[in-house]
Amino acid sequence: MATLQSIGSIVNGRPFSDFSAPKQRELFQKVQLPRPSNPGISVSEYMINTSYGDVNTFFYKPARQKQDVPFIYYVHGGGWIFGGAAEYEAFIFDLVSRTGFAVVFPEYTFAPEKQYPVQQEQCLEVLQYVVKVGSEHGLLIDRLLLGGDSSGGQLIAAMSILNHQRSLGLPIVHQMMIHPYIDVTAELRTGVMRDPAWSEQQLSAYFSVVEDRSSITAAPGRMNIEQAKQYMPPSTVIMSDQAPFKEQDEASVRLLQSADVPCGAITAFGSIHAVEIFSGSRDGPTAQLAMAAIFGTLRNIMNDRK
């Protein structure tokens, strides 16, 4: 697999857990180079103040559309310790160009510099701010689509929970969870990228208190049926049979469906975790098929305004 070969050449065969968080950020940037460009997409950058610190936030919009543009609020993965707009722009540009929607992309503060629950609180407050001012930027704010991969999938599910627990009234109509790290308490049992030591390194960076890991905002996959019924919006879950989160993602789908939450799911056969994100794998046929499902589902949801 091209991505694994690329990663392997950069780290000289060493496990990622051998490297510090700052070094992992540097390595992920190398894997994702070169940074793409797309003149059909306008990019604006804002620093948004939250109660938990300032959050650099990017607005991506189709350049020719000025007003009434639906948007996707996308929260990136990276084990809470790396990732960002530069590394995700190939995926984001596809998301914009193949849906016709805008994307709002918050760069939450990494762990261990800040720890749980700062990241989910930052993302939630940024979304609230975007809803408040979005119409000034030509965005439609009456129907919100959340998207997130890996640890970003955990964060958007936590946001959906908090939206209901706090009666915030955010009009979230769907969450697109791409290979989500939905239960941080679950054992990692499969996957070519399975690395328990690396996973524990991420968890230790993110959580200052081990007991916090069992909270449903930290591990949304631990919700019971009644909680899922109450807190979760209609959802889509994209999985891979070679991802370390395969079993927990399947359990999450069963939970949502048992709670009568509309939930569609597909599994990318023979694909690595986050196959749609990595530069070395996203152009493959299975990744492209998964992305077609993601983009098509989002278009259909936003176009169905009944």
Side-chain angles (χ1 to χ4, degrees), residues 96-130:
V96 174
S97 62
R98 292 169 67 175
T99 62
F101 302 160
V103 171
V104 176
F105 188 101
E107 290 190 321
Y108 54 82
T109 305
F110 292 133
E113 288 84 343
K114 296 292 184 181
Q115 294 180 295
Y116 172 87
V118 167
Q119 289 76 9
Q120 64 193 35
E121 297 290 356
Q122 287 182 335
C123 290
L124 185 59
E125 288 195 23
V126 170
L127 179 58
Q128 290 177 288
Y129 179 80
V130 172

Side-chain angles (χ1 to χ4, degrees), residues 75-155:
V75 181
H76 71 82
W80 310 282
I81 64 176
F82 61 79
E87 297 91 326
Y88 271 74
E89 278 190 345
F91 178 76
I92 296 167
F93 286 167
D94 270 355
L95 192 52
V96 174
S97 62
R98 292 169 67 175
T99 62
F101 302 160
V103 171
V104 176
F105 188 101
E107 290 190 321
Y108 54 82
T109 305
F110 292 133
E113 288 84 343
K114 296 292 184 181
Q115 294 180 295
Y116 172 87
V118 167
Q119 289 76 9
Q120 64 193 35
E121 297 290 356
Q122 287 182 335
C123 290
L124 185 59
E125 288 195 23
V126 170
L127 179 58
Q128 290 177 288
Y129 179 80
V130 172
V131 169
K132 182 178 179 180
V133 305
S135 58
E136 301 172 16
H137 297 270
L139 302 178
L140 288 174
I141 58 174
D142 61 327
R143 291 162 60 83
L144 304 182
L145 299 173
L146 304 186
D149 65 283
S150 195
S151 55
Q154 175 264 328
L155 290 170

Side-chain angles (χ1 to χ4, degrees), residues 49 63 84 112 123 151 203 224 238 263 272 277-279:
N49 178 258
C123 290
S151 55
L203 294 173
N224 60 40
I238 307 297
C263 178
I272 63 169
I277 307 300
F278 284 112
S279 296

Side-chain angles (χ1 to χ4, degrees), residues 23 54 77 111 139 146 223 228 243:
K23 184 63 176 180
D54 294 342
L139 302 178
L146 304 186
M223 286 184 292

